[in-house]
């Protein structure tokens, strides 16, 4: 970065064939729709000598915990509960491993900038998923 800072970005692809991930995603959706407080837990471990990481997933939904494939060092409810108290994203460290604790919430409203073909398709998906959405476009043809 020009300012001398450093940023790490984790892009995590979910594997539809993984029983742990499928179970966690299903529990996440059911818990959100039931109105429970939901937190996704992602463990991140640097692989020695490689520019890569190994990840694991877990979930806290209300009083239920599914450790899934979360790194064993983070399966301590005391540390997790401490991170949940702020209701904000948190990063827990244990040696060379980290655990990202991320609150997950249903969007209150989806704002779509532009009523072009992509915006219209996205608005259609929001309608199917029953998410309220607002499409913003400055063209007169789209005034309502």
């Amino acid at each position: 970065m020009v300012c001398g800072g450093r940023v790490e970005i984790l892009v995590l692809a979910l594997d539809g064939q993984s029983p742990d991930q499928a179970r966690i995603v299903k529990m996440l959706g059911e818990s959100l729709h039931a109105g429970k407080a939901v937190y996704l837990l992602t463990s991140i471990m640097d692989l020695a000598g490689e520019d890569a990481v190994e990840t694991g997933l877990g979930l806290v939904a209300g009083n239920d915990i599914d450790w899934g494939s979360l790194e064993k060092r983070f399966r301590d409810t005391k540390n997790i509960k401490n991170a949940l108290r702020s209701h904000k994203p948190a990063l827990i460290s244990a040696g060379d491993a980290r655990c990202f604790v991320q609150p997950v919430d249903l969007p209150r409203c989806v704002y779509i900038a532009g009523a072009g073909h992509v915006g219209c398709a996205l608005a259609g998906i929001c309608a199917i998923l029953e998410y309220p959405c607002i499409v913003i476009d400055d063209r007169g043809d789209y005034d309502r």
Side-chain angles (χ1 to χ4, degrees):
M1 299 177 81
V2 174
C3 66
R6 182 172 172 234
V7 66
E8 290 180 273
I9 298 173
L10 174 65
V11 178
L12 181 60
L14 296 178
D15 177 4
Q17 302 302 313
S18 165
D20 281 336
Q21 288 183 4
R23 186 180 65 251
I24 286 172
V25 168
K26 181 180 179 190
M27 183 178 170
L28 187 148
E30 290 171 349
S31 299
L32 284 173
H33 287 289
K36 294 181 180 179
V38 178
Y39 297 85
L40 186 62
L41 312 173
T42 306
S43 56
I44 308 159
M45 294 160 300
D46 294 320
L47 296 176
E50 297 182 38
D51 192 20
V53 296
E54 182 179 315
T55 60
L57 285 180
L59 189 77
V60 176
N63 293 322
D64 301 321
I65 299 175
D66 186 332
W67 296 118
S69 58
L70 193 73
E71 165 62 31
K72 288 176 178 45
R73 287 179 266 190
F74 298 108
R75 296 182 183 195
D76 174 6
T77 56
K78 182 180 178 185
N79 286 338
I80 296 297
K81 285 182 180 179
N82 285 339
L84 300 181
R85 284 196 179 113
S86 71
H87 305 289
K88 294 181 181 178
L91 190 63
I92 303 169
S93 295
D96 61 346
R98 295 166 286 168
C99 181
F100 184 52
V101 179
Q102 176 182 4
V104 180
D105 196 2
L106 288 174
R108 289 173 179 76
C109 186
V110 176
Y111 292 89
I112 302 171
H117 65 282
V118 174
C120 287
L122 184 55
I125 292 170
C126 289
I128 291 168
L129 297 174
E130 299 179 1
Y131 285 170
C133 79
I134 295 173
V135 180
I136 303 165
D137 197 293
D138 63 354
R139 294 176 279 183
D141 295 347
Y142 297 100
D143 285 343
R144 289 187 201 183

